[in-house]
Amino acid sequence: MIRINHEVKASDLKSKLTRFWELSAKKIKLIETHYDESKGSPVFTIDGKYSTRGWTEWTQGFQYGSSILQYDATGEKSFFETGRKKTVEKMAPHVSHMGVHDHGFNNISTYGNLLRLMKENKTPFNEWEKDFYELALKISGAVQASRWTTIKDGGFIHSFNGPHSLFVDTIRSCRALVVSHCLGHVFQAEGDVKIDLLERTIQHLKATANYSVFYGEGRDSYDVWGRTAHESVFNAKDGNFRCPNSQQGFSGFTTWTRGLAWAMCGFAEELEWFDTVDETTLDPDSYRDGGKNNLESLLLKAAKATCDFYIENSCTDGIPYWDTCAPGLSKMGDYLNKTADPFNSYEPVDSSAAAIGAQGLLRLGKYLQNKGGDKNGDRYWHAGLSVMNTLLDEPYLSTNDAHQGMILHSIYHRPNGWDHIPAGSKIPNGESSMWGDYHIREVSLYLQRIINNEKYYTFFNCI
């Protein structure tokens, strides 16, 4: 369980953040100089050097998005120019990619961040450039929404596994639909039928909250408050839920911690957006959600449950192992009452889950603090700061000038054996991932802007 430091303040991390961005600049330049883009998108490191892994193209937006975030944090114009240039040159295929559920990753991280900077007056305004970013985001949201499976109580964006498959991580792709909707896009299907992107957003959020998250209400023998299933399997013909499953976790009845972290972050940021929506926009006669209050209650329940589970099932320093029931954990004694050990002989930690989860904790904490009347706001906020205090230091912060990664001890796919095991070790450790590096940059930018009293960072600042 996380040992929450209730005294730590965001400003206490200021010097660590300064060091972080200095290291980050070097890492981005290393990749630009040495990575061969003809091999595909960089995914994770092997011996400190980024490599690729063909599965789906879901990490390129994190690469170029990292440069854009670096500019936002430091004002170094060269990073903005690189991020903008590479987005224009390389990201168009991701906008129209029909085969993935990752539009909220690739395109919000690039086109969305570029548009956001312009809207925040951090880059010069240009009408045609703005229109270009907006068009990309409009189409991206519509393409993402086209991956649709109807079920008995709504529907969801299905994963690359097929129409039967709801992935918990796809909740972060709801951002693509929200942005497209808010930019006024009309998604049309056969016979010019107009499909409501907001309704699809709501239905996907509901499906994730109802089927991917557990609440200790007796759903099955492994129903524990806040645990998540990576994949929820449906009969695509009759719309019935069949079972939980997992692609990257140990099983459908255990919790893959990166999937948990995606849920934490996704529910929290969508809560922030829905808080800006007028009640009449969510007319219960038009949407099967019972109106804004019922929807926010459902999202808040899911956000609290997942954040609580993370706090309870991470080590004292805020770092989780890759799956909360990974088989080797039984050999590690009372591991949850110790700091995480990335160099143990049994099971790897996953720092990328911590980087993503920290943002979920901080956003939920800030949301509840702003609402008032819920003492858990401070608990989640300080839990997020406690995790960040760990991540922004060794052994997780990558300080070796030759290592291209930003945050160490990230895991990609443990069941498939894709992660590099260094000589002399029995488990993967010491490596980085493009999503872990992007998300540690994103949450660091989030904190820095709070410390500096800048505009609160959200994905919908681009609208």
Side-chain angles (χ1 to χ4, degrees):
M1 179 178 178
I2 299 178
R3 189 173 294 145
I4 300 173
N5 182 348
H6 292 279
E7 304 302 319
V8 67
K9 302 185 294 293
S11 58
D12 294 336
L13 301 181
K14 190 169 184 177
S15 61
K16 286 190 174 185
L17 288 170
T18 299
R19 181 192 187 201
F20 172 87
W21 291 114
E22 291 171 353
L23 289 168
S24 174
K26 296 177 182 178
K27 307 297 185 181
I28 292 171
K29 290 176 181 177
L30 269 180
I31 297 170
E32 288 176 11
T33 303
H34 297 290
Y35 183 74
D36 183 358
E37 290 191 346
S38 68
K39 295 180 179 179
S41 303
V43 179
F44 57 86
T45 63
I46 297 176
D47 288 330
K49 295 179 174 56
Y50 261 103
S51 64
T52 191
R53 164 67 69 170
W55 199 14
T56 61
E57 288 284 347
W58 71 288
T59 60
Q60 196 160 47
F62 294 147
Q63 179 187 3
Y64 306 141
S66 287
S67 291
I68 299 166
L69 296 182
Q70 184 75 23
Y71 166 76
D72 194 347
T74 66
E76 296 176 75
K77 192 173 181 180
S78 63
F79 290 103
F80 168 71
E81 296 294 347
T82 296
R84 178 171 62 176
K85 180 175 183 290
K86 291 294 187 179
T87 296
V88 173
E89 288 180 355
K90 302 287 188 179
M91 292 304 296
H94 297 287
V95 173
S96 59
H97 197 334
M98 303 291 292
V100 296
H101 53 266
D102 301 312
H103 283 248
F105 294 151
N106 271 317
N107 298 317
I108 300 298
S109 301
T110 48
Y111 298 101
N113 274 326
L114 289 168
L115 181 60
R116 174 182 62 79
L117 288 173
M118 189 179 291
K119 292 289 184 74
E120 292 175 346
N121 298 315
K122 287 200 166 191
T123 58
F125 178 81
N126 179 286
E127 187 75 32
W128 278 104
E129 189 173 343
K130 175 186 74 70
D131 291 345
F132 172 75
Y133 298 148
E134 288 186 350
L135 180 60
L137 292 164
K138 288 175 180 179
I139 296 170
S140 176
V143 171
Q144 187 71 114
S146 71
R147 295 188 62 81
W148 193 250
T149 295
T150 299
I151 57 177
K152 288 196 170 180
D153 53 354
F156 61 86
I157 302 163
H158 59 257
S159 82
F160 59 70
N161 275 346
H164 64 284
S165 174
L166 166 62
F167 272 10
V168 68
D169 29 321
T170 309
I171 188 170
R172 260 218 125 183
S173 272
C174 286
R175 299 182 299 166
L177 277 69
V178 167
V179 169
S180 183
H181 164 78
C182 290
L183 291 173
H185 189 53
V186 177
F187 176 33
Q188 295 187 172
E190 303 295 334
D192 293 337
V193 171
K194 292 178 174 59
I195 295 171
D196 192 324
L197 291 171
L198 178 56
E199 182 173 14
R200 289 210 165 171
T201 301
I202 291 168
Q203 289 190 20
H204 183 88
L205 290 169
K206 286 181 62 182
T208 304
N210 289 331
Y211 294 103
S212 301
V213 183
F214 292 75
Y215 302 101
E217 297 170 348
R219 177 170 148 185
D220 60 30
S221 298
Y222 305 96
D223 186 352
V224 177
W225 171 260
R227 89 164 192 86
T228 57
H230 180 196
E231 183 179 40
S232 298
V233 177
F234 293 80
N235 183 324
K237 289 189 175 182
D238 64 15
N240 280 313
F241 172 72
R242 301 308 302 158
C243 64
N245 189 31
S246 187
Q247 297 296 305
Q248 289 170 262
F250 179 60
S251 82
F253 297 98
T254 66
T255 297
W256 174 53
T257 52
R258 192 161 81 247
L260 171 70
W262 290 130
M264 294 162 64
C265 188
F267 283 119
E269 67 182 356
E270 294 296 344
L271 269 171
E272 290 178 328
W273 180 72
F274 276 107
D275 196 40
T276 70
V277 177
D278 186 85
E279 175 73 37
T280 57
T281 304
L282 303 179
D283 182 352
D285 294 331
S286 301
Y287 297 100
R288 287 173 279 182
D289 58 29
K292 181 176 178 177
N293 289 338
N294 284 353
L295 178 62
E296 287 187 330
S297 294
L298 178 64
L299 300 183
L300 183 58
K301 180 181 178 181
K304 284 183 172 181
T306 51
C307 285
D308 287 345
F309 188 86
Y310 184 93
I311 291 170
E312 293 289 331
N313 289 275
S314 294
C315 295
T316 56
D317 55 359
I319 308 299
Y321 287 88
W322 72 279
D323 190 290
T324 59
C325 292
L329 294 177
S330 63
K331 302 175 183 179
M332 295 179 60
D334 191 14
Y335 63 93
L336 289 180
N337 283 317
K338 305 173 185 176
T339 58
D341 178 10
F343 306 104
N344 75 84
S345 298
Y346 302 104
E347 296 290 354
V349 303
D350 188 358
S351 62
S352 70
I356 299 161
Q359 187 174 168
L361 288 165
L362 291 167
R363 287 190 184 277
L364 178 60
K366 181 63 70 176
Y367 174 86
L368 292 173
Q369 287 173 341
N370 291 342
K371 289 290 184 181
D374 191 326
K375 61 182 180 181
N376 282 312
D378 288 341
R379 176 172 175 262
Y380 297 129
W381 175 254
H382 285 104
L385 291 178
S386 298
V387 177
M388 286 298 292
N389 195 40
T390 299
L391 288 173
L392 292 174
D393 214 338
E394 290 90 342
Y396 298 99
L397 188 66
S398 176
T399 58
N400 183 340
D401 286 342
H403 198 296
Q404 295 176 1
M406 191 69 245
I407 201 80
L408 301 176
H409 313 303
S410 176
I411 293 296
Y412 187 13
H413 204 312
R414 178 65 169 153
N416 276 2
W418 286 354
D419 299 280
H420 177 65
I421 301 176
S425 179
K426 294 182 179 180
I427 63 166
N429 60 59
E431 304 297 347
S432 303
S433 64
M434 194 53 66
W435 58 90
D437 287 359
Y438 176 86
H439 281 85
I440 191 62
R441 290 183 174 104
E442 189 173 65
V443 69
S444 293
L445 177 65
Y446 170 88
L447 274 182
Q448 179 171 298
R449 287 169 66 122
I450 286 176
I451 294 168
N452 294 340
N453 294 315
E454 294 186 65
K455 183 177 178 64
Y456 187 76
Y457 174 71
T458 71
F459 76 88
F460 52 89
N461 286 358
C462 70
I463 298 166

